[in-house]
Amino acid sequence: MEVLTHSDLEFEYYEETTPLKRGMLEAVFETGGHKWKVYGLHLKSKWTDYKEDPSSNDRRRSEALACRERILDRQKQDELPFLVLGDLNDTKSTAPVRLLQFRGKQEVAAALEASDSRGDRWTHFYNKKDSYSRIDYILKSPDFSAEVVGEQAHVYEGPNALKASDHRLVWVDLNWVIEE
């Protein structure tokens, strides 16, 4: 396994060059002769430091754009299929989530459907507003060769699901065709 930390990502935010607070992780794996990678990222929460940017929407959009461009630059180097795993802190119709899925009409990665055994899709509980939303994602590149078992990801619903975090774990089971 190879691991690379992208701690040098920056973006323009209110006329300043701002570093991506949490960076982005890149890990390369080999499974049954197939090389593939995972990008892990965690975009800014909805808490804001600027009244001009309520809910930090502009910041998350800029972070997602910086991550997408780095992913596409890295893909030019080795063209490995990939997954993006992330707490995007936004819902699927918002700019940060869309930016990680498309560059113009070019598909970058598709969000996997995810639910628990009851069909609930939420991954985050916000106690202050008593609201549930899906803000955690697994996205896969168009050339990702492993079969997604059950054609979707899963949301953890066990008894301690919200003990360590206000987010529920999202995972995917993969089936690789092993070359002999």
Side-chain angles (χ1 to χ4, degrees), residues 44-56:
K44 173 74 174 80
S45 72
K46 293 191 183 267
W47 296 105
T48 189
D49 299 324
Y50 292 94
K51 64 180 179 182
E52 300 86 0
D53 187 14
S55 299
S56 292

Side-chain angles (χ1 to χ4, degrees), residues 30-34 36 145-147 174-180:
E30 187 167 345
T31 306
H34 298 274
W36 58 288
S145 57
E147 171 196 358
L174 302 172
N175 184 18
W176 293 91
V177 176
I178 307 299
E179 295 176 1
E180 294 185 33

Side-chain angles (χ1 to χ4, degrees), residues 29-37 75 79-83 112 139-149 173-179:
F29 299 91
E30 187 167 345
T31 306
H34 298 274
K35 281 188 110 173
W36 58 288
K37 64 174 69 173
Q75 289 309 110
E79 298 182 0
L80 293 178
F82 64 89
L83 296 176
L112 294 176
L139 299 99
K140 71 178 186 82
S141 64
D143 60 346
F144 198 77
S145 57
E147 171 196 358
V148 174
V149 177
D173 293 318
L174 302 172
N175 184 18
W176 293 91
V177 176
I178 307 299
E179 295 176 1

Side-chain angles (χ1 to χ4, degrees), residues 9-10 25 31 65 77 83 88 107 160:
L9 288 166
E10 297 178 328
L25 178 74
T31 306
L65 184 59
Q77 295 175 30
L83 296 176
L88 305 184
E107 183 181 24
N160 296 318

Side-chain angles (χ1 to χ4, degrees), residues 13-72:
Y13 186 63
Y14 289 97
E15 300 178 17
E16 292 182 23
T17 300
T18 305
L20 191 73
K21 185 176 181 180
R22 296 175 176 112
M24 182 173 70
L25 178 74
E26 177 182 351
V28 178
F29 299 91
E30 187 167 345
T31 306
H34 298 274
K35 281 188 110 173
W36 58 288
K37 64 174 69 173
V38 168
Y39 292 99
L41 56 125
H42 184 177
L43 301 182
K44 173 74 174 80
S45 72
K46 293 191 183 267
W47 296 105
T48 189
D49 299 324
Y50 292 94
K51 64 180 179 182
E52 300 86 0
D53 187 14
S55 299
S56 292
N57 293 327
D58 292 337
R59 182 175 179 126
R60 267 190 317 287
R61 182 192 57 74
S62 297
E63 288 179 336
L65 184 59
C67 289
R68 182 193 73 194
E69 294 310 304
R70 178 62 58 87
I71 289 168
L72 291 174

